[in-house]
Amino acid sequence: MYTIEMAYAHMRQLQELANRSRAHQPAAALRVDKTRKPLGGAKKR
């Protein structure tokens, strides 16, 4: 039986793994920031 608690624990594991891999790739994080900035500026008038 697959419970909500099991799903939540699995989600937390995936989140920690994503955070760890993001910490080891600063260049990738900078690229994401550069691509997001124009979207934020385009919404303002």
Side-chain angles (χ1 to χ4, degrees), residues 1-15:
M1 183 176 198
Y2 196 70
T3 64
I4 296 294
E5 289 81 8
M6 292 167 69
Y8 183 72
H10 185 65
M11 183 185 69
R12 290 292 300 260
Q13 287 176 338
L14 292 175
Q15 188 68 47

Side-chain angles (χ1 to χ4, degrees), residues 15-31:
Q15 188 68 47
E16 289 174 11
L17 183 64
N19 288 340
R20 252 182 273 135
S21 66
R22 191 180 303 135
H24 291 292
Q25 298 173 353
L30 287 174
R31 257 183 273 124

Side-chain angles (χ1 to χ4, degrees), residues 28-38:
L30 287 174
R31 257 183 273 124
V32 169
D33 288 343
K34 287 180 182 176
T35 58
R36 286 184 181 171
K37 284 180 183 175

